[in-house]
Amino acid sequence: MRSLLAYTLRGAAFLLCLGILADPVLAETNTGLTPFEASYTAVLQKGMSLNGTAKRTLTSQGNDIWLYRTDVNSFIANIDESLILRWEKGRVVPIRYRYHLSGFLIKDRKHSIDFDWPAGVATGEYKGKPFEVELEGGVLDPLGYQLQLHQDIRGGKRDMTYKVIDGRSIDEETFAVINGGQISTGGDRTGTLKAEKVRKNSKRQTLMWFSPEQDFLLVRLLQVEPDGSTYELKLKAAEFGP
């Protein structure tokens, strides 16, 4: 159970993909990013139903520096995940990533990455051990690739592969996008695009729905584990603003 929550909401997440205050406005000039705050219900089905809530926000810090974060609260676990990034020519450039999982009968888990682009290295800590990896062009973190996925779908891309620092190595995450049909979000029905994470030789399934009517915001996430247990996020409300 711990690994399922950690994967889906770190990477989801949510989080979230998660990915995500004021009246709706157009995207900030010359950046392509729109600040937002979105709240979700979170349901884990693993022998019994366990409910929680998740919130994802994207806020401008000025000078093309942004803060992207996911906060999850449930009876079992709390997750605080954040990324400080630079938005440059339509790409996420990660600067500082932090992840902290804690909760009832759960051992704390932390993951940190600091990106030194001039030096070409990323340093951090994973499962209590320090690491250093050589940076490649376009490498992302576990939260930043979700924001890049959102922006790429918004920009019309339908097949994407990202290089992501996962633990102490760099992995590839591949997604394919199709028409997701109509789904209900926050009491309303909206058309969606569905992104599926492409895996080889794995029974785990990760699906994400994005709403073109809501600036391609993540409105649903479903993960099915090999043992049949599921984790699902559903959008409750979202606000876009400066």
Side-chain angles (χ1 to χ4, degrees), residues 9 14 51 54 82 86 101 123 139 142 146 159 198 225 227 230 235:
L9 294 180
F14 61 341
N51 299 320
S82 65
R86 184 171 70 253
L101 168 69
T123 57
V139 166
Q146 298 177 49
D159 295 283
V198 179
E225 293 294 303
D227 64 1
T230 64
L235 181 70

Side-chain angles (χ1 to χ4, degrees), residues 1-2 4-5 41-53 73-77 104 106 230-232:
M1 184 180 299
R2 181 179 66 197
L4 173 60
L5 280 168
T41 58
V43 179
L44 172 66
Q45 297 283 356
K46 189 175 177 67
M48 60 179 178
S49 180
L50 301 169
N51 299 320
T53 60
N73 294 287
S74 71
F75 174 73
I76 291 180
F104 179 66
I106 290 178
T230 64
Y231 178 79
E232 186 173 23

Side-chain angles (χ1 to χ4, degrees), residues 168-182:
R168 292 180 287 271
S169 62
I170 296 178
D171 296 337
E172 285 194 347
E173 307 285 359
T174 299
F175 294 86
V177 180
I178 60 174
N179 189 330
Q182 294 273 330

Side-chain angles (χ1 to χ4, degrees), residues 86 93-96 113-124 132-136 165:
R86 184 171 70 253
V93 181
I95 299 172
R96 180 182 183 271
I113 311 173
D114 292 287
F115 293 80
D116 188 339
W117 291 102
V121 296
T123 57
E132 178 177 310
V133 296
E134 184 176 342
L135 287 175
E136 304 173 15
I165 295 180

